[in-house]
Amino acid sequence: MPKLTQRTRAQRLDAMRQLMARERVDALLLTSADFFQWATNFHVDVLTWERPIVVCVPASGEPFAVMNELSTHHMRFARERGSVWLDDVAFYAEHPRISARQPLLGQVPELIAERLRQAGLVRSRIGVEAVGGPLARAAALLPEARMVPMTPELRGLRWVKTDEELAIMRAAAELSDWVQARYRENIRPGRLVQELDYQMAALMVEEGARRFPGENLEVLRCWTLSGPASASPHGDGASCGARINAGDGLVNIVIPRLNGLVIENERTWFCAKPSDEQRKYYEVARAANEAALEAAVTGRPVSGIDAAAQQVIENAGCGHLIRHRTGHGMGIIGHEYPEDMAFNHRPLLANEVYSAEPGLYVFGLGGFRLDDSVVVGSTPEVLTQTPKTLAHATLD
């Protein structure tokens, strides 16, 4: 059963402490849901603008957190399951109490400051992912402490995936391939596009229950755009009631999140035999996708993935049909760091994971896009394996 264990916790903690040593800070404070989860393996269940949270990772000693009481029992479940990497949590109240009172939302800055005092950090340099909200007010209560913005440095810790992370992403990719095969079986003229997507999401849940009982599987997306609407990467904004028509090209995307890690799997299918024009654009998109995957080689530029795909499209005389960069990093969130793939020229690192999703967008006809999740290496490892030859994408 693929999951994150204390091995990944130790690797992440070591990476954070190496960063602290390099930057000469005594602790890190993380406040966003994705960074909180990355540091603790707790699946954050609140919107942090509404119910702020913070985890402190000291250079020495155990991490501790401030959380909203809404997460009290969720945290208990996670501890009993052994999945969370956090023991010391101070909760603030979600509702007024008559007895057994806790700090309220307005007292969160004071609570954070007090926990930092207890940890001996009142005169320390503290690296922060972001400064604002309760954390900024807490900093004002600790005038001798210095909050050091470290957003780029912290994001860099998440580029390279551990062996356990990659195992989970492989398992999620295999499930997404299974769902894509079900899509191909279920496309037919007249079918409501949204109804198809919800049925595929239900099938993913059923299959996921067979493969990963007791784990955390989320269906982030089973989403299809059919016909001319697919010429817009995010649709036409009027999808309710849309139906599949004979001759439509369909661009779909399957995004599972398994135990906190995301992969993407996107294909272009056809309802009935494609026209010569559709066939041409499909083959260009497929070739661009393959070029992007082949460019995910350790030591080559991050931007080279985008450049390789664009070169194929430009050589085919279709550069004017690009409306979308080739991809992005993958990880805890769907659009993971680095966030500037097309303009980032640093060398790729082994075991980074990217989406490779170049596409062509022909107004009035549709979109042509294929998306695979790929692990960077001396030989790239493509996680998603749904066939992409046009014969497999044609429904007669």
Side-chain angles (χ1 to χ4, degrees), residues 19-85:
L19 175 63
M20 288 184 246
R22 289 195 302 272
E23 299 297 325
R24 296 180 296 108
V25 298
D26 304 297
L28 299 174
L29 286 176
L30 308 174
T31 57
S32 69
D34 52 305
F35 264 107
F36 192 102
Q37 179 162 345
W38 185 79
T40 68
N41 207 33
F42 180 80
H43 188 86
V44 175
D45 52 1
V46 298
L47 296 174
T48 56
W49 66 265
E50 181 182 22
R51 297 176 171 110
I53 57 177
V54 60
V55 60
C56 178
V57 181
S60 60
E62 290 299 309
F64 57 90
V66 170
M67 300 177 70
N68 184 280
E69 71 164 338
L70 184 149
S71 302
T72 304
H73 295 321
H74 183 178
M75 178 59 73
R76 182 173 176 177
F77 283 128
R79 284 175 176 161
E80 291 177 354
R81 193 167 54 244
S83 62
V84 69
W85 306 328

Side-chain angles (χ1 to χ4, degrees), residues 18-178:
Q18 287 187 41
L19 175 63
M20 288 184 246
R22 289 195 302 272
E23 299 297 325
R24 296 180 296 108
V25 298
D26 304 297
L28 299 174
L29 286 176
L30 308 174
T31 57
S32 69
D34 52 305
F35 264 107
F36 192 102
Q37 179 162 345
W38 185 79
T40 68
N41 207 33
F42 180 80
H43 188 86
V44 175
D45 52 1
V46 298
L47 296 174
T48 56
W49 66 265
E50 181 182 22
R51 297 176 171 110
I53 57 177
V54 60
V55 60
C56 178
V57 181
S60 60
E62 290 299 309
F64 57 90
V66 170
M67 300 177 70
N68 184 280
E69 71 164 338
L70 184 149
S71 302
T72 304
H73 295 321
H74 183 178
M75 178 59 73
R76 182 173 176 177
F77 283 128
R79 284 175 176 161
E80 291 177 354
R81 193 167 54 244
S83 62
V84 69
W85 306 328
L86 186 65
D87 293 319
D88 186 356
V89 180
F91 291 100
Y92 63 91
E94 170 75 5
H95 71 290
R97 290 171 176 259
I98 301 301
S99 61
R101 293 191 172 183
Q102 295 174 297
L104 299 174
L105 176 61
Q107 297 171 298
V108 169
E110 287 84 355
L111 179 57
I112 295 172
E114 178 56 30
R115 295 309 315 272
L116 293 173
R117 285 192 191 95
Q118 293 171 4
L121 294 168
V122 293
R123 295 179 180 84
S124 300
R125 282 169 50 88
I126 301 173
V128 295
E129 164 210 353
V131 180
L135 186 55
R137 296 194 294 276
L141 300 172
L142 300 171
E144 294 185 79
R146 182 182 172 192
M147 301 295 170
V148 183
M150 292 176 56
T151 304
E153 294 83 359
L154 285 163
R155 289 178 174 179
L157 298 183
R158 288 165 53 176
W159 295 341
V160 174
K161 304 302 183 287
T162 68
D163 290 343
E164 291 181 340
E165 288 175 303
L166 291 176
I168 292 171
M169 297 175 92
R170 291 185 187 104
E174 289 174 2
L175 177 61
S176 75
D177 286 331
W178 183 92

Side-chain angles (χ1 to χ4, degrees), residues 298-335:
T298 307
R300 294 186 185 177
V302 174
S303 59
I305 298 174
D306 185 83
Q310 185 174 352
Q311 188 66 66
V312 170
I313 296 171
E314 294 283 355
N315 288 348
C318 298
H320 62 290
L321 300 175
I322 299 174
R323 293 291 181 272
H324 191 285
R325 70 171 185 266
T326 294
H328 49 80
M330 302 291 296
I332 288 178
I333 51 179
H335 283 221

